[in-house]
Amino acid sequence: MPELLLELFSEEIPARFQRRAAEDLKKAVTNALVDAGLVYEGARAFVTPRRLALTVTGLPARSPDKREEKKGPKVGAPQPAIDGFLRAAGLSSIDQAKIESDSKKGDFYIAQIEKPGADAATLLSAILPKILTDFSWAKSMHWGSGSFNWVRPLRAITATFGQENEDPVVIPFASNELTSGQTTFGHRFLAPDAIKVRRFDDYVTALERAKVVLDLDRRKEIIKADADNLAFAQGLSVIADENLLEEVAGLVEWPVVMMGSFDPEFLKLPEEVIIATIRINQKCFCLRDATGKLAPNFIITANTIASDGGAVITAGNERVIRARLSDAAFFYQGDLTTPLEHGLPKLEDTVFHAKLGTQFARVERIVKLAGDIAPMVGADVERAKRAAMLAKADLTTGMVGEFPELQGLMGRYYAIAQGEPADIANAVELHYKPLGPTDKVPTDPTAIAVALADKLDLLTGFWAIDEKPTGSRDPFALRRAALGVIRIIAENGLRFPLQVEPDLLSFFHDRLKGTLRDAGARHDLVDAVISTDSDDILEIIERVTALSELLSSDDGVNLLAGYRRAANILAAEEKKFNLTYNGAVDQGLLRLTEETDLAFVVDAVHAAVSAHVGRNDYKGAMAELATLRGPVDAFFTAVMVNDDDSMVRVNRLNLLSRLRETMHLVADFSKVAG
């Protein structure tokens, strides 16, 4: 079957846009093909710094013929209705329509409309230019006299279509001032001549000969393997950096790996500073020696085969890195001469948010909040307040000004250098964490107090000014802050009631539900234990865990069935009489052994469950509930709730209400599915 090859050749596409663009192109083309009736077998998208490419295999030569039926008016309908039907169906006479009968609606007209298929090439010539016009980039530009937008100036379009053993045809269309053809170009420096393209296989082969590796993931594999081998030969190992690897692979079409070095004197700098300097400024990988220490070497990924073996390229990178590390050393030494707290006044000149004041005002709030939180998490109040005071001070340092991603970390280095206790220095770094689901969580009490204070101040502040996340928009990372609070509380086993407004508490509930579901908890069990005023994260987690264990046992399953039966009876009777049964159970009205036994057991279990819940022992509470299984089963086997004697009936309903109340001490079982 025929194959489509599409290549959009342009000036350099920023690396951060490449993978998404390739997927977007594949999605746009394949969706349009299916909509046009061109069902395909497979599609693959590729990207290099100068091209987006797509191959679609197993396409039909033309779209299938279609037959549609269009229902018309009733037989005998007014002429205007008949005329409108004829126009819509493309008929010249009502005699061309069929008549069908419906037992309820009578006879009506049906038009059979034949829609012949179209050549795939014809359909593609209409589909492809529209896709280019509608294609969305995070940032785009237009050039020349046209209004066409693309991420960078588009230089050539290849669009071929045909069978495997035949010469393909060019899909004819124009975009901006370009006309589609079958000409592409190789590596900008190593093989810049034009290349005539037929179909995907010879296209890939021709590009390889022209020093272009089309597949982004293959370029990543080449870079990683060559870098590892080069490092291994020197007794070193490459520091893994997936984001940098993705970026570097998006900067080259023919990757060539080399190794450079820098003055070992720079190793006196914090290694994070060295790595950031080399990574951000030169897109190079750093290395470690056999002992795990940072080595005075780096890996360069060039986009050319140098005639001198890369000596000039390596020397150029070494020269730039030496200058950058000298700048970093200057910032670092300068920052060390100034105590952290001396930078605090500068925060008064830094606006955190127009409605929430300066960074200095925020620090004051965090200090107070950290002091309030400290006793609740086992931290010393004064040490927590000291750490909170210093937490944002490194924002005024030269190093963080140059590398904002090092905030917190540099604060820890400077705090240690000025003699701060280890827990305070660590809290300065860790108060931002966790930054994501795999990031570490603070475990030291001082760091916990400051981290919670930082995140809770952020959340309560933005809630107070009604700047809440909406849809996918969350510019202040409030979802991340809430998830951070949840992880800190949960992973440290903290009893920490969230004393926040109901709307913000509901926001925490939503984040916690997602976290628990991601961990495998049933959504109905989560809903069963969370009420609008549930403010203890750890308690919710423990209740869900205990409830899950209970309902995974036979006792739990049968008890749930008994609960549902009781709840249904109560609901029906309470609705009938518009009241709630919650009166005391009259022992004198208990006639049968089974109801007497249940009444006794329910009272005992109610007291035991209340005691377990008071000690936050939810497994114990669930175990007590499990003992109800037998008496409940026996009750419903032997007892007719709706007895003819109204007093007996009401007493039995009150007993079932007492059972419901007892089970609700740990969860709302009415929300449990199954």
Side-chain angles (χ1 to χ4, degrees), residues 162-387:
Q163 297 280 2
E164 182 177 351
N165 298 319
E166 300 175 0
D167 281 338
V169 298
V170 172
I171 304 298
F173 68 92
S175 182
N176 202 27
E177 298 175 354
L178 294 175
T179 302
S180 59
Q182 55 186 129
T183 301
T184 188
F185 300 88
H187 192 284
R188 183 186 290 276
F189 308 114
L190 300 175
D193 295 337
I195 302 169
K196 185 176 181 180
V197 174
R198 296 176 70 250
R199 55 180 48 83
F200 181 70
D201 287 344
D202 71 273
Y203 166 71
V204 174
T205 302
L207 286 181
E208 288 276 350
R209 287 197 298 264
K211 299 295 185 287
V212 175
V213 178
L214 182 64
D215 188 349
L216 174 61
D217 288 323
R218 184 163 163 251
R219 296 198 302 277
K220 288 175 64 174
E221 290 169 2
I222 292 170
I223 294 167
K224 185 178 186 306
D226 289 355
D228 286 342
N229 291 337
L230 189 57
F232 181 77
Q234 302 295 322
L236 305 172
S237 60
V238 180
I239 297 176
D241 190 330
E242 178 62 27
N243 291 334
L244 179 58
L245 181 60
E246 177 89 1
E247 182 178 11
V248 170
L251 296 174
V252 299
E253 290 193 317
W254 192 258
V256 178
V257 173
M258 309 170 189
M259 183 182 292
S261 62
F262 58 86
D263 189 339
E265 278 293 308
F266 288 120
L267 293 176
K268 295 177 181 177
L269 288 168
E271 70 171 38
E272 296 89 350
V273 170
I274 298 172
I275 293 170
T277 300
I278 292 175
R279 181 195 191 284
I280 293 169
N281 292 304
Q282 290 304 106
K283 313 301 180 190
C284 292
F285 296 89
C286 289
L287 302 150
R288 295 193 186 280
D289 62 22
T291 68
K293 293 182 179 178
L294 196 66
N297 303 88
F298 56 90
I299 293 290
I300 310 156
T301 307
N303 189 35
T304 188
I305 302 172
S307 59
D308 62 356
V312 171
I313 294 173
T314 301
N317 277 271
E318 288 176 342
R319 185 167 56 253
V320 174
I321 285 175
R322 181 169 59 250
R324 295 291 190 178
L325 290 175
S326 295
D327 290 343
F330 174 79
F331 290 132
Y332 184 59
Q333 294 302 325
D335 292 341
L336 286 174
T337 63
T338 306
L340 269 177
E341 61 262 43
H342 287 191
L344 290 174
K346 296 179 183 178
L347 294 178
E348 295 191 69
D349 301 324
T350 305
V351 175
F352 169 65
H353 187 280
K355 296 180 180 179
L356 295 174
T358 65
Q359 281 282 10
F360 186 81
R362 182 158 190 255
V363 168
E364 289 184 314
R365 294 195 301 270
I366 295 173
V367 169
K368 182 180 184 306
L369 191 52
D372 294 340
I373 292 172
M376 303 169 67
V377 299
D380 179 83
V381 172
E382 293 307 315
R383 291 169 87 90
K385 292 170 72 172
R386 173 70 176 173

Side-chain angles (χ1 to χ4, degrees), residues 496-512:
F496 187 84
L498 293 171
Q499 299 173 354
V500 296
E501 63 170 277
D503 188 43
L504 179 52
L505 186 59
S506 175
F507 182 74
F508 274 107
H509 289 168
D510 289 341
R511 307 282 79 71
L512 179 58

